[in-house]
């Protein structure tokens, strides 16, 4: 089964070690796994919520795009794009806004934090709160649900937003699905050991705290920044406590288990903080030097980055545009052409609209899809050695014989003569799976004149 993975980074600053360890690195590694269909984006609409400096946003977009590629992302094998290049995203945001409960958004951490701060300062609860900040979770839900991501790698502070995307998607499915789930309900992916890295002062590494270690600064700048990491007053020779040292936490996030164990022992044996910082610098510089050089090359050629991102947007819109049409249809934003015919005639044509589409795979084998009346994929065949064999199966399926459909978890497979020849997609629950099986039977049933 193909697993769709999606994540993005807000373009409001220079990428730092926390961005890399908490989101970029695990996302790039995940994109290399077999069966991964990866969508990675620059969240530049989100940036407008917290930044009103156009030059900063533009520079950050460039830096973050270069960071992903310098970090090893293969843009030809994934879908890599800017959020603002996908016009379907804001339209879906509005569709989702119309089904999102205000009570749900009231519970969003960012909004609650702003309200609490205002109350603490004796101000109006909503002072300085924009609709962008308040409805941020809906825009994030649109990012995720637009591409029906199965897994969303995020930092721990973003778990709530993925859970809210599930709630909003489930609500839309309930209201407009009519037995069909438009949206996959996403799952959070957290790399436990490095989900949230500490900054120079021990708090979460964040641009808003001004405590970050830039990812691709020069070696000298990185060394100077590491030297400012706050440590306790224990002198060289005194045992240090690795479990309460954010310097050790940073080292652990970029080292092997053996390196980490050795560093822990050295701290317990009294390694001085100055030497410990030097070891952290050497570890990071050794890992990032090659990527740093690649990053500088990319930054120097912004036109090349633009071409890559526009190609990614075109790829993303091949998914987004037809899917949004289905959603518009579901909520009633339909073409008048669909109601110029009598109901019986419309039903008859829809029933006959299921069709087989044959294609040749990258490895030279042949496959086919069965698409329903609405263009939704009902079946995807296994690989066949030649087109004739694939055609023979599609011909047999169109004869109207009783189908041997077997439920398998939250999916199903279709069998002919004791052999599995095709399978359906994965569904959020058994109800949606069973509804899809009935739709398949209806699509392949003999048509009555």
């Amino acid at each position: 089964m193909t697993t769709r993975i999606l994540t993005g980074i807000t373009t409001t600053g220079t990428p730092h070690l926390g961005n890399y360890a908490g989101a970029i690195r695990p996302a790039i590694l995940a994109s290399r796994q077999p069966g991964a269909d990866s969508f990675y984006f620059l969240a530049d609409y989100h940036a407008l919520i917290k930044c009103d400096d156009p030059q900063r946003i533009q520079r950050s977009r460039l830096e973050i795009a270069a960071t992903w590629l310098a970090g090893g992302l293969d843009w030809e094998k994934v879908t890599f794009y800017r959020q603002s290049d996908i016009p379907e995203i804001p339209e879906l945001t509005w569709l989702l806004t119309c089904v999102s409960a205000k009570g749900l958004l009231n519970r969003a951490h960012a909004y609650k934090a702003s309200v609490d701060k205002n109350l603490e300062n004796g101000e109006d609860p909503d002072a300085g709160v924009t609709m962008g900040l308040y409805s941020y979770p809906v825009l994030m839900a649109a990012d995720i649900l637009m591409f029906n991501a199965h897994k969303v790698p995020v930092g721990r502070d973003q778990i709530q937003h993925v859970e809210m995307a599930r709630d909003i998607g489930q609500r839309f499915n309930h209201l407009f699905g009519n037995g069909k789930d438009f949206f996959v309900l996403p799952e959070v992916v957290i790399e436990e050991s490095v989900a949230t890295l500490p900054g120079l002062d021990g708090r979460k590494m964040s641009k808003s705290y001004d405590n970050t270690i830039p990812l691709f600064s020069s070696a000298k700048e990185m060394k100077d920044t590491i030297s400012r990491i706050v440590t306790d007053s224990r002198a060289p020779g005194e045992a240090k406590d690795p479990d309460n040292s954010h310097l050790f936490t940073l080292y652990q996030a970029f080292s092997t288990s053996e390196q980490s164990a050795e560093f822990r022992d050295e701290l317990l044996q009294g390694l001085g903080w100055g030497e410990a910082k030097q070891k952290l610098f050497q570890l990071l510089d050794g890992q990032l030097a090659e990527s740093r050089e690649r990053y500088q090359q990319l930054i120097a050629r912004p036109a090349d980055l633009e071409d890559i991102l526009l190609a990614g947007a075109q790829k993303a819109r091949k998914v987004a545009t037809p899917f949004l049409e289905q959603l518009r249809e579901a909520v009633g934003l339909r073409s008048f052409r669909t109601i110029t015919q009598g109901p019986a005639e419309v039903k008859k044509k829809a029933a006959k609209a299921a069709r087989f589409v044959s294609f040749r795979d990258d490895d030279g084998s042949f496959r086919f899809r069965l698409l329903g009346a609405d263009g939704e994929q009902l079946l995807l065949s296994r690989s066949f050695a030649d087109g004739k064999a694939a055609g023979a199966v599609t011909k047999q399926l169109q004869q109207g014989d009783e189908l041997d459909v077997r439920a398998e978890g939250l999916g199903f497979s279709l069998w002919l003569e004791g052999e599995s020849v095709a399978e359906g997609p994965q569904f959020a629950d058994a109800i949606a799976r069973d509804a899809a099986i009935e739709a398949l039977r209806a699509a392949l049933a003999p048509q009555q004149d």
Side-chain angles (χ1 to χ4, degrees):
M1 172 187 169
T2 298
T3 300
R4 182 162 289 173
I5 303 166
L6 179 143
T7 196
I9 290 184
T10 307
T11 55
T12 54
T14 299
H16 54 71
L17 288 182
N19 299 140
Y20 180 68
I24 296 174
R25 182 175 62 182
I28 292 174
L29 291 174
S31 74
R32 298 170 182 167
Q33 297 299 312
D37 180 19
S38 303
F39 282 64
Y40 300 133
F41 66 97
L42 311 183
D44 48 359
Y45 277 145
H46 287 292
L48 301 178
I49 297 170
K50 56 181 79 172
C51 180
D52 57 6
D53 181 347
Q55 283 71 36
R56 179 181 174 187
I57 288 176
Q58 177 65 3
R59 179 66 185 177
S60 180
R61 293 160 95 221
L62 179 69
E63 291 176 339
I64 291 176
T67 297
W68 278 99
L69 298 174
L73 186 70
D74 188 339
W75 65 271
E76 294 182 306
K77 292 184 179 179
V78 304
T79 304
F80 180 52
Y81 59 97
R82 280 177 299 222
Q83 185 186 36
S84 60
D85 287 332
I86 315 297
E88 291 81 6
I89 293 291
E91 184 169 353
L92 176 57
T93 299
W94 181 248
L95 297 185
L96 298 179
T97 298
C98 293
V99 303
S100 298
K102 181 175 181 291
L104 179 68
L105 301 184
N106 286 343
R107 296 191 290 273
H109 296 325
Y111 173 63
K112 287 178 65 178
S114 294
V115 170
D116 291 345
K117 184 177 180 180
N118 285 334
L119 292 175
E120 185 180 328
N121 295 333
E123 300 182 14
D124 181 88
D126 288 326
V129 176
T130 66
M131 284 307 297
L133 172 65
Y134 183 73
S135 60
Y136 171 96
V138 187
L139 177 56
M140 185 165 174
D143 293 326
I144 297 168
L145 298 175
M146 180 85 263
F147 299 107
N148 275 322
H150 299 99
K151 297 185 181 296
V152 184
V154 293
R156 187 167 296 281
D157 59 327
Q158 293 290 321
I159 292 176
Q160 185 196 43
H161 290 136
V162 180
E163 292 173 343
M164 293 173 83
R166 289 175 61 91
D167 291 339
I168 294 168
Q170 196 167 34
R171 176 66 175 164
F172 189 98
N173 286 342
H174 174 72
L175 289 174
F176 301 110
N178 194 25
K180 166 187 174 181
D181 284 343
F182 287 104
F183 297 122
V184 169
L185 302 185
E187 297 179 6
V188 169
V189 176
I190 296 288
E191 189 172 315
E192 291 292 345
S193 61
V194 295
T196 302
L197 288 188
L200 301 178
D201 55 4
R203 292 181 294 176
K204 173 196 169 186
M205 190 176 293
S206 171
K207 295 180 285 288
S208 59
Y209 294 148
D210 192 27
N211 67 351
T212 64
I213 301 175
L215 180 60
F216 290 134
S217 58
S218 69
K220 181 180 184 305
E221 289 170 330
M222 177 175 283
K223 187 173 184 178
D224 289 345
T225 303
I226 290 173
S227 70
R228 300 203 308 272
I229 294 176
V230 176
T231 56
D232 61 32
S233 58
R234 299 182 195 186
E238 291 186 72
K240 314 298 188 298
D241 181 3
D243 295 327
N244 289 304
S245 165
H246 42 278
L247 189 150
F248 177 74
T249 302
L250 287 166
Y251 190 95
Q252 191 175 39
F254 291 89
S255 61
T256 65
S257 57
E258 291 79 8
Q259 289 173 321
S260 180
E262 182 180 347
F263 191 54
R264 169 185 283 273
D265 288 343
E266 290 177 326
L267 289 172
L268 291 171
Q269 292 170 19
L271 180 72
W273 287 124
E275 292 179 78
K277 291 175 181 180
Q278 176 64 17
K279 284 181 175 290
L280 175 60
F281 165 71
Q282 290 172 341
L283 175 74
L284 293 175
D285 190 54
Q287 287 192 23
L288 299 176
E290 185 176 338
S291 297
R292 181 193 299 137
E293 183 178 352
R294 170 68 174 151
Y295 172 83
Q296 296 298 341
Q297 292 171 352
L298 289 163
I299 287 290
R301 300 197 303 270
D304 291 350
L305 285 172
E306 183 72 12
D307 290 342
I308 289 171
L309 288 166
L310 290 179
Q314 185 177 23
K315 188 175 178 181
R317 294 196 67 198
K318 287 181 179 179
V319 177
T321 303
F323 185 46
L324 186 64
E325 284 302 312
Q326 292 182 41
L327 301 178
R328 289 173 59 90
E329 176 82 12
V331 302
L333 305 179
R334 304 166 184 166
S335 168
F336 290 159
R337 292 188 181 92
T338 63
I339 58 174
T340 58
Q341 309 164 81
E345 187 177 353
V346 171
K347 184 176 180 181
K348 181 178 179 182
K349 288 192 174 183
K352 292 185 178 181
R355 66 191 188 280
F356 287 95
V357 177
S358 300
F359 63 98
R360 193 165 189 172
D361 232 333
D362 293 340
D363 61 2
S365 63
F366 292 81
R367 305 177 80 179
F368 64 79
R369 293 186 177 92
L370 175 62
L371 303 180
D374 57 359
E376 191 75 9
Q377 181 172 295
L378 302 178
L379 277 179
L380 175 64
S381 79
R382 66 171 177 80
S383 298
F384 295 90
D386 53 64
K388 185 177 180 181
V393 172
T394 61
K395 184 176 181 181
Q396 190 171 351
L397 292 177
Q398 294 176 80
Q399 292 176 356
D401 296 335
E402 181 66 23
L403 299 179
D404 181 4
V405 182
R406 305 179 188 181
E408 297 176 352
L410 295 180
F412 62 85
S413 58
L414 178 64
W415 293 64
L416 283 178
E417 300 174 355
E419 183 180 10
S420 176
V421 296
E423 62 181 20
Q426 291 291 308
F427 297 91
D429 52 48
I431 295 176
R433 177 203 63 203
D434 293 344
I437 291 174
E438 289 307 310
L440 172 64
R441 294 187 188 280
L444 293 177
Q447 301 299 322
Q448 302 296 322
D449 293 331

